[in-house]
């Protein structure tokens, strides 16, 4: 059920959500809910940000979890996508733990490519998040955590390095990396330079194309795609084959950023047949229907070039273009990577520990891909249990 600007609220959310709406200066608001919970979606006038607030209607929150989606994603796609029974998503898990869930969707989700500028780097995203935190502080001062996935996890770490509040208690990191070392750092530097060149040429955003790729796989699975089939480049993947190959073997695809994955976005198996129509493939943890639900919830799907440049600079260990002040992260850090996604790359966590913060854990979940960390039907037991 959905309704616009309700006049009443029940239970523990009474008074809290209207206060948040006023503090954020929302230009538009919608409400939906279910058994024991309500979700307020605010589109902020002037900024282009979308803020989702998921509240328990039976009990007051003991804290706030700010959820920060990955690059090209939004709160609905990354953290509120249906994946199984009993409201199976990370937002509801944290709500059931007593948290007020606040999803901060970046401006680019509601923007056109022409509206994204060279200024939309990681620092701009951090400032937007800080504005939301200040607004909610004015309503109710509660302990809080930053929780992010992929690029959102880098934002969570960066925000924590600039946030000295004693009420910042935890940083929850899902599948990202700090600086690489050795050859990987050199590849990150080349990636940084490639994105810097794109910015110099006036290319300020890119569409990763995942939503369209999966939509074609669902609508016309047997149809021929435009992508050459590796065993015989004169032939073409089917739409379903290409979508599964791109999810399972992301690292094998061309593109400036696909090499950052140990294997892929999703765990699964792909075997070539005698023809593209005879390829055999299967996803291990997250059904294609869930990937479709997630990507169908996207807005623009655009990723700012400046954001990618800054992330690459972090991975390269480049302190000139952009760096995270690892030594200033004093909150507890719970860092969970996937073996097939961003892999066993603990150097960022090691840098936080080396600066004297001993409340840092780094875990790698075997057999999971990058997106499985948030969308797998078994993620609650295998991944989120660390939180």
């Amino acid at each position: 059920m959905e309704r616009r600007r309700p006049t009443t609220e029940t239970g523990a959310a009474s008074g809290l959500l209207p206060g948040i709406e006023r503090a954020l200066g929302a230009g538009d608001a919608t409400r939906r809910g279910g058994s024991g919970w309500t979700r307020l979606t605010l589109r902020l006038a002037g900024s282009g940000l979308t803020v989702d607030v998921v509240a328990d209607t039976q009990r007051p929150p003991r804290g706030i979890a700010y959820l920060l989606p990955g690059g090209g994603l939004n709160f609905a796609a990354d953290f509120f996508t249906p994946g199984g029974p009993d409201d199976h998503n990370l937002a509801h898990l944290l709500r059931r733990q007593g948290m007020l869930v606040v999803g901060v969707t970046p401006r680019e989700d509601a923007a056109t490519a022409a509206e994204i500028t060279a200024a939309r780097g990681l620092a701009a995203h951090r400032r937007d998040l800080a504005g939301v935190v200040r607004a909610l502080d004015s309503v109710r001062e509660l302990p809080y955590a930053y929780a992010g996935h992929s690029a959102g996890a880098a934002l969570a770490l960066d925000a924590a390095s600039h946030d000295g509040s004693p009420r910042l208690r935890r940083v929850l990191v899902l599948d990202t990396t700090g600086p690489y070392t050795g050859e990987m750092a050199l590849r990150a530097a080349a990636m940084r330079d490639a994105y810097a060149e794109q910015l110099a040429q006036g290319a300020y955003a890119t569409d990763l194309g995942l939503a369209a790729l999966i939509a074609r796989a669902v609508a016309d699975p047997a149809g021929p795609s435009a992508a050459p089939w590796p065993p015989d480049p004169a032939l073409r993947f089917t739409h379903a084959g290409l979508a599964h190959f791109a999810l399972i073997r992301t690292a094998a695809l061309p593109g400036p950023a696909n090499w950052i994955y140990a294997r892929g976005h999703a765990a699964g198996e792909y075997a070539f047949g005698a023809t593209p129509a005879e390829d055999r493939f299967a996803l291990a943890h997250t059904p294609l229907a869930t990937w479709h639900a997630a990507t169908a919830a996207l807005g623009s799907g655009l990723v700012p070039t400046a954001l990618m440049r800054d992330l690459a600079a972090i991975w390269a260990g480049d302190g000139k273009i952009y760096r995270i002040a690892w030594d200033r992260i004093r909150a507890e850090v719970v860092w969970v990577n996937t073996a097939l996604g961003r892999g066993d790359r603990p150097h960022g966590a090691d840098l936080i520990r080396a600066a004297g913060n001993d409340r840092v854990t780094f875990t790698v979940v075997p057999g999971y891909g990058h997106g499985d960390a948030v969308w797998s039907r078994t993620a609650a037991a295998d991944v989120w249990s660390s939180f």
Side-chain angles (χ1 to χ4, degrees):
M1 187 176 92
E2 182 171 336
R3 59 192 188 277
R4 181 181 171 84
R5 293 188 183 276
T7 56
T8 62
E9 193 63 60
T10 60
S14 178
L16 178 60
L17 298 189
I20 291 173
E21 185 175 344
R22 288 191 298 270
L24 288 170
D28 188 24
T30 57
R31 189 74 53 84
R32 58 183 64 80
S35 177
W37 61 273
T38 186
R39 173 184 169 194
L40 174 66
T41 301
L42 304 170
R43 293 167 182 85
L44 307 192
S47 75
L49 287 175
T50 300
V51 176
D52 284 274
V53 183
V54 181
D56 197 291
T57 57
Q58 305 303 314
R59 56 181 177 174
R62 61 177 179 80
I64 301 173
Y66 292 96
L67 267 58
L68 312 174
L73 299 176
N74 57 29
F75 168 79
D78 213 353
F79 301 118
F80 210 78
T81 304
D86 302 323
D87 298 325
H88 176 86
N89 55 54
L90 185 55
H92 278 308
L93 176 90
L94 294 170
R95 173 188 62 82
R96 286 191 288 266
Q97 290 180 354
M99 306 297 283
L100 180 73
V101 173
V102 179
V104 183
T105 294
R107 301 178 186 218
E108 55 264 22
D109 183 68
T112 65
E115 293 170 325
I116 297 175
T117 71
R120 290 301 299 159
L122 189 56
H125 289 75
R126 187 187 72 242
R127 289 191 291 269
D128 283 343
L129 171 60
V132 174
V133 174
R134 284 194 300 271
L136 266 70
D137 273 352
S138 71
V139 178
R140 187 172 301 180
E141 292 188 348
L142 290 168
Y144 58 92
Y146 294 132
H149 174 224
S150 192
L155 173 58
L157 290 161
D158 194 34
S161 75
H162 285 80
D163 189 336
S165 172
R167 288 183 293 103
L168 173 60
R169 303 293 172 80
R170 304 179 84 200
V171 186
L172 307 179
V173 177
L174 266 179
D175 217 36
T176 198
T177 48
Y180 292 116
T181 57
E183 181 190 355
M184 297 285 278
L186 296 177
R187 295 187 72 175
M191 177 181 169
R192 172 205 61 203
D193 294 344
Y195 282 115
E197 179 62 23
Q198 289 183 31
L199 286 170
Q201 295 174 355
Y204 299 146
T206 186
D207 184 347
L208 301 180
L210 194 59
L213 182 74
I214 293 175
R216 287 191 293 267
V218 171
D220 183 19
S225 74
W229 187 57
D232 183 353
L235 302 178
R236 296 293 181 264
F237 276 108
T238 65
H239 288 309
L242 179 59
H244 283 81
F245 190 85
L247 291 174
I248 295 166
R249 300 194 186 177
T250 315
L253 297 177
N258 289 326
W259 63 270
I260 66 177
Y261 301 102
R263 189 178 186 206
H265 287 294
E269 296 297 331
Y270 198 105
F272 293 114
T275 68
E278 296 174 273
D279 286 358
R280 293 293 176 263
F281 41 80
L283 299 174
H285 295 297
T286 307
L288 190 66
T290 301
W291 281 92
H292 188 221
T295 54
L298 297 181
S300 70
L302 295 171
V303 181
T305 307
L307 176 62
M308 292 304 300
R309 176 207 57 200
D310 291 348
L311 292 172
I314 292 168
W315 302 332
D318 173 6
K320 295 180 181 179
I321 298 294
Y322 207 94
R323 68 178 295 270
I324 292 174
W326 306 100
D327 58 319
R328 295 208 305 258
I329 299 175
R330 310 313 301 168
E332 178 187 8
V333 177
V334 181
W335 194 319
V336 182
N337 272 16
T338 64
L340 304 180
R342 301 301 293 276
D344 190 3
R345 301 285 178 178
H347 189 49
D350 291 343
L351 290 172
I352 302 171
R353 288 195 199 95
N357 184 346
D358 59 1
R359 296 183 300 147
V360 181
T361 59
F362 180 87
T363 306
V364 180
V365 180
Y368 269 63
H370 186 64
D372 295 328
V374 285
W375 295 324
S376 169
R377 288 173 172 168
T378 54
D382 296 340
V383 184
W384 309 341
S385 56
S386 298
F387 296 164

